[in-house]
Amino acid sequence: MNEKTGKWVRRFIIFFITLLSMLILAWLYPYYDHVLLIIGRVCLPFVIALVLSLILHPLVRYLERVGIPRLLAILIIFTIFFTSATFAIYKGYPRLLAQLKLLNEHLPELVQSYQDWTKEFHAQTERLPDGIHKKLNDTFSNLEEGASERIMSLLTGISGLFNIVVLAAVIPVMTFYFLKDYKVLGRSILSVLPRSWHEESRRLVTKLNHSLGGYIRGQLLVSVFVGILASAGFWLIDLPYPLVLGLVAGATNIIPYFGPLLGAVPAVIVALTISVKLLIYSLLVVIIIQLIEGNLLSPYIMGRSIHIHPIFIILALLAGGELAGVVGLILAVPVLTCLKVVVSEIRNGRLNIDR
């Protein structure tokens, strides 16, 4: 066996062991899911702070390039960002909470209007095959039964003041140290690795920061714009709960391709229970926002930050949704981006996995 064949055999063995390990972990998931839940809660401030540092890092670097010391640049960006965020939360949180409570109070009326519509829909679909008809009925029943419970659980989660205070106290501090000491943290991580891996690790982290950081910054910025535009659009057409529905539209827009459809569903359902005219206006708002997002915001902000064909993105979204639900949908593209960078480095022979 020559050297080239031996390398491909070793790579195949590594791939096989990795795939087998993933299958075993998936099979054992019910036995350690509670442990992952605890780890997730503990790591949540760390992840949020890391994402915020990725968002703010280019601004800090820009101020550094114009001659402002890094610490002062961090303090300037920090003050502007967190002051703006605090002001937005201070003004928006009471209104969001009020609209959620109002939605919960009016939910029986909305459900009644919705049931009237579904009865008409039921009459129109009676001639469909029994399996399809039963599936539609089950879907509508689950939606009606779970709506009030989800709103109340959301209200309870928002009202968890202790968790909010802890996050508000910890996240800014961690973000500050990520921005200030990122080189120190990088050297600390490198010190754990063998010296022969240092150059490859630096190059890999640089490429991951460019691809993954660019994607996260762009996607979050686009989602913020979509949320603002949706809230304003729903408010202009007098759709109830515009802030709640706009927040849903912005949050779901983080998910590529499927997100805009998921975000439009609550607004369409609310409009449908009021009038056909409002339904048409709501659909027009959704279409206009998606045209703006698809033709102006995403091309300008996102560009082609990940260079992955849409077919692979959709496959990753389907796999992520199947494995971890909404969280899987959100994490699917970032994970795919990391895998793409690693595979590209291996293919170009710049990352040696044959040690």
Side-chain angles (χ1 to χ4, degrees), residues 117 268 270-283:
W117 178 81
V268 169
V270 171
L272 188 64
T273 59
I274 298 174
S275 69
V276 176
K277 180 181 178 181
L278 193 58
L279 173 62
I280 295 173
Y281 286 161
S282 300
L283 289 173

Side-chain angles (χ1 to χ4, degrees), residues 21-22 57 84 91 94 102 110 121 167 210 234 251 265 288 317 341-342 352:
S21 302
M22 292 173 65
H57 182 69
S84 303
K91 289 293 185 181
L102 187 64
L110 291 173
F121 184 82
L167 290 175
H210 176 73
F234 294 149
V265 169
I288 290 171
L317 290 170
V341 171
V342 173
N352 185 7

